[in-house]
Amino acid sequence: MTRRWLVFDYGEVICTRTTALPTLAERLGVPLAEFEPAYWAGRDAYDRGASDLEFWCTVGDAVGVGVSEPLSAELTELDIEGWAQVSPATLELVESLAEAGAALALLSNAPVSFARFAERQPWTRHFRELMFSGDVGLAKPDAEIFELLVSRLDAKPGDCLFFDDRQVNVDGARAAGLQAQLWQGIPAELPA
């Protein structure tokens, strides 16, 4: 029997957009307009497994601020808190799907430190598989992370319906053979 998997992204699907950027910029003593581009520019390497200290030093270098290990730890904690706010409506949907017996998986571009935090959250019990890019050294939209996910699920790519808020990741999933849909909030009904 073929199992159909529903695969959810985390950032801006399960959770709301981070609220931490102004706080992080303030902690580094730089304007948000200067901080934000540096934060996003370094994020891909962080999501692919760079350490917290490597990431924050990259951001710090870009804005002209030295980052020590204690400051890196503080910034990491603030960053995790910013991404920790889950969407109640999405969680309600996830709970309903799990109760109905749906096979749910999570595929998130996220650093290792966030992955360890997320694994301890009550909402993760609804997912049969949790895959974080920082743990595997791969990230969306690359085909390799979708191939690894499908392998872990012991599924065929076409048996997976993937939801992500970024079109580039939806396109990457489709190129890897998965069904994929751009997340624009909870749909009125899930595709058959």
Side-chain angles (χ1 to χ4, degrees), residues 82-96:
W83 286 107
Q85 304 307 311
V86 294
S87 163
T90 304
L91 283 190
E92 188 176 310
L93 172 65
V94 166
E95 288 172 10
S96 296

Side-chain angles (χ1 to χ4, degrees), residues 5-30:
W5 286 89
L6 298 176
V7 182
F8 288 82
D9 173 39
Y10 176 76
E12 299 185 57
V13 174
I14 300 293
C15 77
T16 57
R17 185 170 176 80
T18 182
T19 56
L21 299 185
T23 305
L24 291 164
E26 184 179 318
R27 180 60 188 89
L28 285 175
V30 297

Side-chain angles (χ1 to χ4, degrees), residues 109-162:
N109 283 358
V112 172
S113 54
F114 183 83
R116 300 296 79 82
F117 166 81
E119 290 169 341
R120 297 188 305 269
Q121 303 312 301
W123 57 264
T124 61
R125 73 183 183 280
H126 300 298
F127 293 88
R128 299 182 190 184
E129 179 69 36
L130 300 171
M131 184 183 293
F132 297 97
S133 61
D135 290 331
V136 297
L138 303 167
K140 300 174 290 180
D142 299 351
E144 294 83 3
I145 197 164
F146 295 108
E147 292 163 3
L148 180 58
L149 174 72
V150 168
S151 173
R152 285 191 181 180
L153 299 179
D154 193 25
K156 294 178 183 165
D159 296 334
C160 300
L161 175 57
F162 174 64

Side-chain angles (χ1 to χ4, degrees), residues 25 28-41 59-65:
L28 285 175
V30 297
L32 179 60
E34 202 177 311
F35 170 79
E36 192 166 358
Y39 176 88
W40 291 116
V59 173
D61 289 348
V63 297
V65 177

